[in-house]
Amino acid sequence: MTVVALVPAAGQGTRLGLNRPKAFVELRGRALLSWAVDGLFESGAVDEVVVMVPTDMLSDARALVPSARVVVGGAERTDSVRAGLAVAGAHDLVLVHDAARPLTPPAMIGRVVQALRAGASAVIPVLPVADTVKQVDADGAVVATVDRARLRAVQTPQGFTTEALRAAYEAAPNELATDDAGLVERAGGTVLTVPGDPLAMKITTAFDLRVAQALAQEQS
Ligand code: CTP
Ligand code: MG
């Protein structure tokens, strides 16, 4: 079975607030995109990588990740994933992995692919939620305390049979989702979880970038 990894890298990084798209921000002198693509190949579990970037970053991206296919993404993350799916070669399995998760351990990527090879059609890496989570109303007043024991924070790469992911995207041509498994759930599919890893943290804010800098320093 062969595997293609789609890497959404077409976001602007508004919450990070630097002067360039997030995937091109550097961590210890290397763009986040480069970290993410290298990790995918290092896992040994991936045959092809397709990266989706903003239009004006096409040539920069091609220079940064020469081993990947680079195409233009879309306005929303789901549009970018669609753009990647449209050009990906014929593979049995698809991973979707945020460029914004530079320190994702290759072994974790391997766990996702292994679960797919064992027969799952959709697999997501998850972590337990450490903080108590409360639901609030529009004014910020607490409505309910959610049972933390049943909550999981979701990471990437998320893995799918190509058939399951294509079907989910085709079933919801206009829907937006913050993760790809969400579309598979809506299409009635079963999504399996495997253990994630704190190192697969997503860089969203300046604080996250500081944490990742420290972690990368420690690892080198
Ligand atoms: N992404 C994408 N296409 C979009 C939006 C997001 O490919 N239209 C990618 C981002 O580049 C990132 C991943 O999806 O690798 C996760 O999205 P997020 O963390 O929200 O990144 P941004 O959208 O860039 O950040 P922000 O929401 O703060 O602007
Ligand atoms: Mg975003």
Side-chain angles (χ1 to χ4, degrees):
M1 284 200 277
T2 62
V3 182
V4 59
L6 309 180
V7 181
Q12 288 305 318
T14 316
R15 289 169 289 177
L16 189 56
L18 297 179
N19 56 357
R20 61 178 114 171
K22 187 160 70 181
F24 299 85
V25 166
E26 288 185 355
L27 174 64
R28 305 205 80 228
R30 260 169 75 210
L32 298 186
L33 175 61
S34 172
W35 283 85
V37 170
D38 286 359
L40 285 163
F41 281 121
E42 249 174 65
S43 75
V46 169
D47 300 283
E48 184 191 1
V49 174
V50 178
V51 174
M52 298 78 79
V53 301
T55 317
D56 56 338
M57 299 307 283
L58 262 184
S59 59
D60 287 50
R62 286 186 175 134
L64 275 174
V65 288
S67 48
R69 176 118 183 241
V70 183
V71 297
V72 176
E76 301 290 343
R77 188 181 180 282
T78 37
D79 302 318
S80 296
V81 173
R82 270 179 216 287
L85 261 182
V87 301
H91 295 277
D92 309 281
L93 306 174
V94 188
L95 300 182
V96 186
H97 185 44
D98 295 329
R101 298 182 188 270
L103 302 178
T104 305
M108 193 190 103
I109 298 168
R111 280 201 291 279
V112 173
V113 173
Q114 201 180 348
L116 292 169
R117 289 188 187 281
S121 57
V123 179
I124 61 175
V126 300
L127 289 175
V129 174
D131 292 322
T132 293
V133 177
K134 294 192 192 280
Q135 191 184 338
V136 297
D137 66 17
D139 301 320
V142 172
V143 173
T145 301
V146 186
D147 178 14
R148 192 176 67 194
R150 291 289 183 88
L151 292 179
R152 300 291 182 270
V154 177
Q155 302 180 316
T156 77
Q158 301 193 347
F160 308 91
T161 61
T162 302
E163 199 184 350
L165 189 63
R166 282 194 191 280
Y169 269 81
E170 277 160 25
N174 300 310
E175 284 197 60
L176 299 177
T178 53
D179 79 328
D180 307 283
L183 293 179
V184 172
E185 291 156 41
R186 278 183 233 171
T190 301
V191 180
L192 192 78
T193 64
V194 296
D197 192 302
L199 284 170
M201 63 179 284
K202 181 160 73 77
I203 311 288
T204 304
T205 63
F207 178 81
D208 300 330
L209 190 58
R210 284 170 59 197
V211 172
Q213 298 279 12
L215 290 168
Q217 183 101 36
E218 212 173 81
Q219 281 189 318
S220 67

